Amino acid sequence: MATHAYQKFYLNDAQHNLGVMFDYSVRILNYDADKFFLYFIQSQIAQKFEHANPKYIAGLSGIELCERVLSKMGEQIPFTDNALIQEGKEFWLGWIMAYYQWYSGLRFSDLQEYGLIPSQILQRYILHEADVSKFVTVANKIIEANKEATPTRLQKIRKSRGMTQQELADLSGVSLRMIQLYEQRQNDINQASARAITSLSRALCCNFYEIMEIELEE
């Protein structure tokens, strides 16, 4: 069973507000959808959404959210008179993205990293007529396919620290062979012992969840 990002009673507000945010930013303000999504993440407003901060998930309108993102990113906020929101493909983009983030419990930055970006979602607008479970299945397949072609989090963090696998093994006490198996995805790091995860995260000076891999459930 999937672990949802927050309690379901916030979901309708989250979907509506993200839908309005994308319709306003992409259709009305003419921002590229992928670029604005990256702004959403970099501004850290996405994190407030992920943690169901009431002010951001329900207290602000979608237009206000868009303006907060642009302000945080140092962008000039265009003046628009009586912006008319439409529930078309841009609205659906935000609506379904909010649903999937809630359903999967992933971070928006995870969606970005594993290729579930607005341009990919908009190509599948036909799914707006289907049950949300259809989109979940498609989204999971996109993420899993890109995940297989992407270095593991353990490997990326190790390399960012300038460490070899042997150096990490020496520092953590986890065997070189086990580290190789985790990085090759031949062993599931999510199933590693608490001791191994703790030792690796301490050696890499990061939190334990940063080296674990996401899991998707339908």
Side-chain angles (χ1 to χ4, degrees):
M1 182 177 181
T3 302
H4 302 317
Y6 45 81
Q7 293 180 317
K8 192 173 183 179
F9 64 78
Y10 284 115
L11 182 58
N12 285 338
D13 284 335
Q15 289 183 272
H16 178 78
N17 287 341
L18 225 61
V20 171
M21 184 187 78
F22 272 102
D23 186 65
Y24 184 66
S25 62
V26 177
R27 187 181 61 82
I28 296 176
L29 299 185
N30 295 314
Y31 273 88
D32 175 79
D34 290 343
K35 180 178 181 179
F36 186 82
F37 183 50
L38 192 57
Y39 279 178
F40 179 53
I41 295 168
Q42 292 174 338
S43 68
Q44 299 187 332
I45 290 175
Q47 292 178 329
K48 300 180 190 299
F49 240 77
E50 293 160 6
H51 295 97
N53 182 314
K55 177 180 178 180
Y56 287 86
I57 209 165
L60 297 174
S61 71
I63 292 176
E64 290 171 326
L65 280 172
C66 174
E67 291 176 343
R68 287 290 179 95
V69 170
L70 295 178
S71 178
K72 288 276 189 181
M73 298 306 298
E75 294 277 300
Q76 184 175 358
I77 300 173
F79 174 77
T80 54
D81 189 21
N82 297 321
L84 182 61
I85 300 300
Q86 298 178 5
E87 295 191 4
K89 63 180 181 179
E90 293 84 3
F91 181 91
W92 177 77
L93 163 66
W95 185 89
I96 198 65
M97 186 173 282
Y99 178 85
Y100 186 75
Q101 189 276 321
W102 167 80
Y103 176 86
S104 66
L106 302 178
R107 298 171 298 182
F108 286 104
S109 58
D110 291 327
L111 308 190
Q112 170 75 23
E113 180 179 357
Y114 292 108
L116 191 65
I117 56 177
S119 57
Q120 289 294 316
I121 295 172
L122 288 170
Q123 289 177 24
R124 293 160 174 83
Y125 179 57
I126 192 172
L127 293 174
H128 79 282
E129 297 180 342
D131 186 83
V132 291
S133 63
K134 299 292 186 182
F135 179 83
V136 168
T137 299
V138 170
N140 284 351
K141 289 179 179 177
I142 291 171
I143 288 179
E144 289 293 359
N146 287 312
K147 179 181 170 185
E148 289 302 316
T150 303
T152 63
R153 290 180 171 182
L154 176 62
Q155 183 180 9
K156 286 191 289 186
I157 292 176
R158 173 181 62 76
K159 288 187 174 181
S160 74
R161 303 292 192 266
M163 298 173 62
T164 66
Q165 290 178 329
Q166 186 62 65
E167 287 170 337
L168 178 57
D170 294 340
L171 191 58
S172 67
V174 177
S175 73
L176 173 61
R177 182 55 180 157
M178 288 305 298
I179 291 172
Q180 291 171 336
L181 291 173
Y182 292 143
E183 291 194 357
Q184 294 166 5
R185 291 195 172 92
Q186 293 186 43
N187 278 12
D188 185 358
I189 196 168
N190 294 334
Q191 302 299 321
S193 68
R195 181 177 179 180
I197 290 290
T198 300
S199 296
L200 289 168
S201 60
R202 284 178 178 172
L204 293 167
C205 298
C206 65
N207 292 314
F208 70 90
Y209 59 81
E210 293 182 80
I211 62 174
M212 299 180 74
E213 297 293 309
I214 60 173
E215 290 185 321
L216 300 173
E217 297 184 38
E218 297 182 12

